[in-house]
Amino acid sequence: MKFENILEEIGGFGPFQILIIVLLCTPRIVLPCHFLLNNFIAAVPPHWCDVSTLDDGGLFRSLTQQQRLTVSVPLRKDGEPKSCEMFSSPQFQILYNGSNSSAELPTIQCQSGWIYDNSTFTSTLATEWDLVCDRKSLTKTTGTIFFFGVMMGAIAFGFLCDKYGRKNTLLASYIMVIVFGFSSAFANSYVLFAVLRFLTGFALTGISINSIVLSIEWVDIGHRSFIGVIGSLAWSVGNMLLAGFALLVTDWRTLIMTVTAPLGFAVLTWWWIPESARWLLANGKVERAQFYLDKCAKFNKRPKLSAKLKLETLSNIEMLEKQDKNYTYLDLIKTPKMRQLTLLTGIVWYGVASTYYGISLNITGFGLNMYLTHFIYAAIEVPAKLMVYCFLNIIGRRKCQAGALLLTGVCIAINIFIPKGLWHVRAVVAILGKGLSEASFTTIFLYTTELYPTVILQNGLGYTSFMSRLGVSVAPLVLLLEDVWTLLPQIIICSVAIVSGLVALLLPETQNVRLPETIDDIEKPRRSSCSRIKRWKKGEKG
């Protein structure tokens, strides 16, 4: 027997599993609040040069604030003051001529700092450390630094949760995020803040990995897809809450503390979260595994396992689990078809993550309030997740994955050609593209678990998670390219979405196909199955 058979006997989907999902809701809600926090704490409000140095005590002093700005700062084509230039001396004639020809008048770079429009934000990273003009790239760089921390965390916590257990590692992640999160809110320099954000991202990955693993490892195979989609709705809820938090809390330091604080409640509820019985068995902790299995049976109102069945079955499962531990990342590339699968899934995961965050981190330019744009972007994820859950079993995994990515690319391409004056049309198309990008993200999580053989699934998920974080890290840097050409970031994101969508068409379909257990199942053609559910219920190995 395998663990799934034991789980089915004591209840693979019942009150016990629902309790786990509820207990993990709070940390899952915190994740998007930090992952997309840069949209608000790194926002750059309207600004212009501080012209107080031009005050000569004469005519300049008698002018109103608006008149001082008019004679001191040249205007852009849209009529707004330029952000990084000022006149070398007051140009009083502009008040009489009624024009501001910056092309003809000498200008210099800002000499005494900047004045910021604080009507939307009390303070941001940009206003705190003057990350504007020639330093404005540092606002996006903080996002990349954070996601590099997430990427490194994916590697570290993948190892730690296997060595020290899901529950213990989860608590360590909670504490680390609280410490580094609150510390970053009190950083007194940009460098210190960047380091602490890296460490925060590193620690958050522990929550991301362990919350998913704990949810999945306690649920029977037939409900894993359902739990994957329903559990991910907590991300969407957190994403919507972030817009509300940012609207109410306009100081970047206070906002960081606000989105980190819920983890204090998560620490209190951690005591009720069960350790993974599967992990306990794999590490020889049979008695502890019995304790949680009995608790699961009690919660689900199922009879406990008999003593004889416990000793015999759990010992066998322990041996099987240890055998599965012999595989490494090298097995992903040792054989031809595994190499092909590894390459293709890596490209698709990179494309999915890069596209999703490329859209999510770009919430301006659609004529809508940035808070409203972020909220709508988050809200559209809910129907997108539910829709993709239905379509997965209708048109299949491959078509669903490829279709979502290709349509996302089409939406981005359409917006490239729609004039900015038609902001309402651009906003609708952008929101549709965001929903489709979320659909592709939801699909790839489920699709990957069916593509990789059971014996190497954990390694496959670790590798694809790394490729995903790489795509996420690059996304903020891609957005910086708008300084080279305004449309360049959109063109790159569109191209990545379309290419990864085409690559997804090269992956094998897994709907109604026997799931692979070993690497040999990948190297040899897989047989169709009339009903995978029937096989699971009978407890067949494949």
Side-chain angles (χ1 to χ4, degrees):
M1 295 180 73
K2 296 200 70 174
F3 184 80
E4 282 75 15
N5 306 112
I6 298 296
L7 199 57
E8 184 176 347
E9 186 172 333
I10 62 174
F13 183 70
F16 186 78
Q17 285 75 15
I18 293 173
L19 176 64
I20 294 174
I21 295 172
V22 172
L23 292 174
L24 293 173
C25 269
T26 300
R28 282 186 169 185
I29 286 173
V30 169
L31 288 174
C33 290
H34 271 282
F35 275 55
L36 296 170
L37 187 61
N38 225 52
N39 276 344
F40 302 101
I41 66 170
V44 181
H47 56 281
W48 51 87
C49 297
D50 182 355
V51 297
S52 58
T53 54
L54 298 180
D55 187 354
D56 58 1
L59 178 59
F60 189 86
R61 179 169 294 183
S62 65
L63 299 178
T64 64
Q65 185 62 39
Q66 183 58 45
Q67 288 174 331
R68 291 181 185 181
L69 193 61
T70 301
V71 302
S72 305
V73 180
L75 300 180
R76 302 195 305 252
K77 291 181 180 179
D78 61 2
E80 294 296 322
K82 286 190 174 183
S83 302
C84 305
E85 296 178 30
M86 59 185 287
F87 296 126
S88 56
S89 60
Q91 305 297 318
F92 297 109
Q93 72 276 13
I94 295 176
L95 294 175
Y96 304 102
N97 297 339
S99 63
N100 187 342
S101 178
S102 58
E104 300 175 2
L105 299 173
T107 61
I108 56 176
Q109 298 297 310
C110 297
Q111 300 296 300
S112 303
W114 292 263
I115 301 296
Y116 297 95
D117 179 357
N118 293 325
S119 59
T120 303
F121 300 99
T122 304
S123 70
T124 68
L125 299 181
T127 64
E128 180 82 17
W129 291 302
D130 287 332
L131 306 182
V132 293
C133 297
D134 58 344
R135 302 183 71 208
K136 69 177 181 179
S137 62
L138 292 178
T139 57
K140 291 286 194 299
T141 303
T142 53
T144 295
I145 292 171
F146 170 82
F147 287 123
F148 267 122
V150 173
M151 185 169 65
M152 293 298 103
I155 299 172
F157 279 101
F159 166 77
L160 292 173
C161 73
D162 276 341
K163 184 170 180 61
Y164 299 105
R166 284 71 163 120
K167 185 174 180 178
N168 291 334
T169 311
L170 185 64
L171 178 61
S173 299
Y174 286 169
I175 295 173
M176 288 170 67
V177 174
I178 292 172
V179 171
F180 295 136
F182 276 92
S183 297
S184 64
F186 294 95
N188 58 6
S189 71
Y190 175 81
V191 173
L192 178 59
F193 174 78
V195 171
L196 290 171
R197 282 300 285 167
F198 174 90
L199 294 172
T200 303
F202 180 91
L204 280 165
T205 310
I207 298 177
S208 177
I209 290 176
N210 286 290
S211 62
I212 293 173
V213 170
L214 273 172
S215 298
I216 295 298
E217 290 189 337
W218 271 110
V219 178
D220 60 34
I221 297 175
H223 289 93
R224 282 185 182 177
S225 296
F226 176 78
I227 290 298
V229 173
I230 297 303
S232 69
L233 289 177
W235 172 282
S236 301
V237 172
N239 210 352
M240 288 186 278
L241 287 175
L242 175 59
F245 291 149
L247 178 63
L248 297 173
V249 182
T250 56
D251 175 73
W252 72 271
R253 295 181 186 273
T254 310
L255 182 57
I256 290 179
M257 290 188 283
T258 301
V259 299
T260 305
L263 286 179
F265 175 74
V267 170
L268 297 178
T269 60
W270 172 85
W271 303 99
W272 289 277
I273 297 175
E275 178 58 275
S276 168
R278 187 188 298 269
W279 178 83
L280 289 169
L281 290 173
N283 287 271
K285 304 177 187 294
V286 179
E287 292 183 3
R288 194 66 180 164
Q290 287 179 359
F291 171 78
Y292 285 116
L293 289 170
D294 288 343
K295 182 176 286 189
C296 178
K298 183 179 178 181
F299 262 80
N300 291 340
K301 297 181 179 179
R302 295 289 190 91
K304 294 182 180 180
L305 296 173
S306 65
K308 181 179 179 182
L309 185 61
K310 281 182 185 178
L311 294 175
E312 180 182 344
T313 303
L314 297 184
S315 297
N316 290 338
I317 290 175
E318 180 190 340
M319 292 176 62
L320 286 171
E321 294 290 345
K322 284 188 175 181
Q323 288 175 8
D324 291 348
K325 291 283 182 178
N326 294 331
Y327 291 89
T328 67
Y329 284 104
L330 290 177
D331 290 290
L332 295 174
I333 57 173
K334 280 184 178 179
T335 53
K337 288 191 177 179
M338 276 303 304
R339 276 197 297 271
Q340 182 182 9
L341 178 63
T342 302
L343 175 63
L344 296 179
T345 53
I347 293 172
V348 174
W349 268 90
Y350 177 91
V352 167
S354 183
T355 302
Y356 176 86
Y357 282 95
I359 296 174
S360 299
L361 296 173
N362 185 21
I363 58 173
T364 58
F366 298 111
L368 296 175
N369 177 288
M370 67 183 299
Y371 302 106
L372 180 59
T373 303
H374 185 95
F375 179 82
I376 295 174
Y377 269 8
I380 195 65
E381 293 183 2
V382 177
K385 289 175 188 288
L386 299 178
M387 178 191 69
V388 78
Y389 179 69
C390 297
F391 275 98
L392 279 171
N393 295 319
I394 297 175
I395 64 174
R397 279 63 162 155
R398 179 174 58 187
K399 290 180 181 178
C400 205
Q401 183 67 67
L405 281 168
L406 291 173
L407 289 174
T408 301
V410 169
C411 287
I412 298 172
I414 290 173
N415 257 355
I416 292 175
F417 296 100
I418 296 178
K420 287 196 173 182
L422 299 174
W423 62 266
H424 51 290
V425 179
R426 286 173 54 83
V428 170
V429 174
I431 292 166
L432 179 60
K434 176 58 167 58
L436 289 164
S437 72
E438 171 57 36
S440 70
F441 224 135
T442 303
T443 303
I444 194 63
F445 267 111
L446 304 178
Y447 195 12
T448 304
T449 60
E450 296 179 337
L451 284 170
Y452 281 93
T454 303
V455 295
I456 203 171
L457 179 58
Q458 203 69 12
N459 299 95
L461 290 176
Y463 157 71
T464 52
S465 177
F466 176 85
M467 293 302 295
S468 168
R469 306 310 180 190
L470 183 60
V472 173
S473 302
V474 171
L477 299 180
V478 171
L479 297 179
L480 283 175
L481 296 176
E482 65 181 2
D483 292 337
V484 179
W485 182 25
T486 307
L487 297 178
L488 187 55
Q490 295 181 63
I491 291 173
I492 292 175
I493 295 171
C494 173
S495 302
V496 169
I498 291 175
V499 169
S500 55
L502 294 174
V503 169
L505 290 173
L506 301 176
L507 290 169
E509 178 57 71
T510 58
Q511 185 182 20
N512 297 325
V513 173
R514 186 175 69 86
L515 298 182
E517 291 282 348
T518 66
I519 291 178
D520 284 341
D521 291 336
I522 293 292
E523 297 303 316
K524 299 173 184 178
R526 281 180 271 175
R527 301 187 303 273
S528 296
S529 173
C530 296
S531 175
R532 198 162 57 239
I533 301 297
K534 287 183 180 178
R535 187 179 75 250
W536 288 335
K537 288 184 176 179
K538 290 179 181 178
E540 294 174 6
K541 185 176 180 181

